[in-house]
Amino acid sequence: MPAVVTYWAEHAWLPHRGGPAVQPEVLITAGPDGRITGVVPDSGPCPAGAVRLAGLALPGQANAHSHAFHRALRSTVQVGSGTFWTWRDTMYKAAAALDPDRYLALATAVYAEMALAGITAVGEFHYLHHAPGGARYADPNAMGAALVEAAARAGIRITLLDTCYLSSGFGAEPTGPQLRFSDGDADAWAERASALAGAEHARIGAAVHSVRAVPAGQLDTVAQWAATRGAPLHVHLSEQTAENDACLAAHGVTPTRLLADHGVLGPRTSAVHATHLTDEDVRLLADTGTTICMCPTTERDLADGIGPARHLASAGCPITLGSDSHAVIDPFEEARALELDERLRTRTRGHWTANALLKAGTADGHASLGWPEAGRLEAGALADFCVLALDTVRTAGAPPVLGAETAVFAAGAADVRHLVVGGRHVVRDGVHRLVPETGRALAAAIGALR
Ligand SMILES: [Zn+2]
C-alpha cells in the first residue's frame, strides 16, 4: 500500500458540533497504518492524485451478529410455514454438510456479499466447532480459523465470537448436530478458545449461545474468560417465549436475571434479540450497561416478535444491528426496520432519528465488537468506510444534506458503490476487487452443500 491514500468524497456524514451532518467535498486521507490521518470538508473539487468517490461516504457498517452458514438457507426456508424450531432443523441440516474447506469457501463469499452491502466488520457468532459426531479436527479451531481466513479473503474485519454451546436445553446432553457444537464443558471450551489467535483484521471474543445451551453453573467460566481478556461477550437472549418459560421452570428466574446473576451482563456484553423482556429485565440490562443487538430482518423472518428496542435505548442500552440468519444482508434495511417496526406497533412516527440509526450501525456496532477505534470518519479512526450512490432510482432526488435520511429510509445494499477497509479500496464501483464474481462464488459454495 502507498504511504498515504487520499480519497475525495462528493459528500460525507461527519461528526459535527450539535450532531453528525452531511458535508460536501470531503478529503479523507489514510496513512500506511490503515488509519485516517485527516478529514477535510469543503475542500473544493477533487484534486489530482485523489480517488474520486461520487455519492455519500459513511463510516463502515458493523454487522454485529452473523452466523455465516445460515446464508445457505436463503429462500429454501421460505417454502411452507413452520416455526422457529422447524427452521432450526433445516439449519442443522446445512451445518451437517460443512467442513473447514467448505466453510472457508462459503464464508468468503458471504463476507464478500457483506462488503458489497457496506459492511466493514462482522461479529461472527461461531458455534460449529467440531466434525460430525463431535470428533475433533487435527486443529480443534480449524472451523474458527476458516472464518478468520474468510474475512481476510473478503477484505473485511472480523470479531470471532467463539461460542460456548454445551447442552440441548438446560443441562440436557447435546444430541445429533449439536454434538458438533459442544466442547463437553466450559473449561474445555475455554482451553480451546484460548488457542485462537487474532490478526490485524481479526479479534477474538466469546459468546454464550443462550441460557438453553450453557448450564447456569458454567456461565461464570465463559464470563470470566472474556473479562480476563477485556474481550466482547455476546449472548442470544429471550428470542422466543419458549426460552423464557423453560428458564423460569428450570431456575425460577428470567434468562436476563440468570445471566446477571452469573456475571454475564456488563458494558462489554451484547445481548442479541432481547425480544421478550420484563420491565425488570430492561432495568437489569440498562443498569449493567449491556448493549442490545437487534436483528430485525431475522426476527421478522422467524416471527419472533418486535423487541423493545426503543424502551431499552431510552433506559440507557446502546443498540446495534445484525443480519444474523442472512435472510437478507442489508444494514440499511436493518436500521430502518428499527424505526418502522416501532411505528407499526405504536401507530406513531419518529422514535429514532436517521442519525441515531446510523450511529447504531456504525460506532456502536464497532464498539460492541471490540473495535472502538472504528465507525467514525475522523482523524485517528480506522479508515473503514462505504460510499452510497445518490443517483440511483432509489436515492436520486433528495437534497444531499438529507443524506442520512436517504441512507436509512430509502437506500439499500444495492446502492453501495465503494468500500474502503484500513485505507484499502475493497469494493470499487460496485465490484468486489478480491471476490469479483461474488454471486458465482455464493452459488458454488452453497451448491456444494446439497
Ligand atoms: Zn443468532
Side-chain angles (χ1 to χ4, degrees), residues 65 67 125 236 272-273 324:
H65 189 67
H67 309 282
F125 196 108
H236 287 130
V272 183
H273 303 303
D324 188 5

Side-chain angles (χ1 to χ4, degrees), residues 65-67 70 125 127 209 236 239 272-273 295 298 324-325:
H65 189 67
S66 161
H67 309 282
H70 293 191
F125 196 108
Y127 53 83
H209 181 276
H236 287 130
E239 181 177 6
V272 183
H273 303 303
C295 306
T298 293
D324 188 5
S325 69

Side-chain angles (χ1 to χ4, degrees), residues 246-317:
C247 189
L248 280 166
H251 299 292
V253 294
T254 65
T256 302
R257 167 53 76 186
L258 191 70
L259 294 173
D261 289 349
H262 290 276
V264 176
L265 303 184
R268 278 178 299 93
T269 298
S270 289
V272 183
H273 303 303
T275 314
H276 303 285
L277 302 180
T278 66
D279 287 346
E280 167 68 9
D281 292 338
V282 172
R283 248 192 315 278
L284 269 174
L285 291 161
D287 288 351
T288 51
T290 301
T291 292
I292 306 298
C293 180
M294 304 297 291
C295 306
T297 65
T298 293
E299 289 148 9
R300 228 183 237 177
D301 183 52
L302 294 177
D304 291 339
I306 302 169
R310 184 62 259 175
H311 187 22
L312 285 156
S314 298
C317 295

Side-chain angles (χ1 to χ4, degrees), residues 296-372:
T297 65
T298 293
E299 289 148 9
R300 228 183 237 177
D301 183 52
L302 294 177
D304 291 339
I306 302 169
R310 184 62 259 175
H311 187 22
L312 285 156
S314 298
C317 295
I319 305 291
T320 63
L321 299 164
S323 66
D324 188 5
S325 69
H326 313 313
V328 296
I329 295 177
D330 187 338
F332 306 100
E333 176 63 31
E334 303 294 344
R336 74 175 146 263
L338 220 52
E339 165 68 18
L340 298 183
D341 287 353
E342 201 69 28
R343 290 185 190 180
L344 283 175
R345 173 169 45 201
T346 61
R347 295 191 288 159
T348 58
R349 307 174 89 226
H351 306 274
W352 307 83
T353 63
N355 282 337
L357 292 168
L358 284 179
K359 179 170 177 281
T362 56
D364 291 346
H366 280 93
S368 79
L369 298 177
W371 298 93

Side-chain angles (χ1 to χ4, degrees), residues 110 112 126 140 168 210 225 293 320 329 335 339 351 433 442:
V110 175
H126 166 57
S168 67
S210 58
W225 187 95
C293 180
T320 63
I329 295 177
E339 165 68 18
H351 306 274
R433 300 175 86 190
L442 282 161

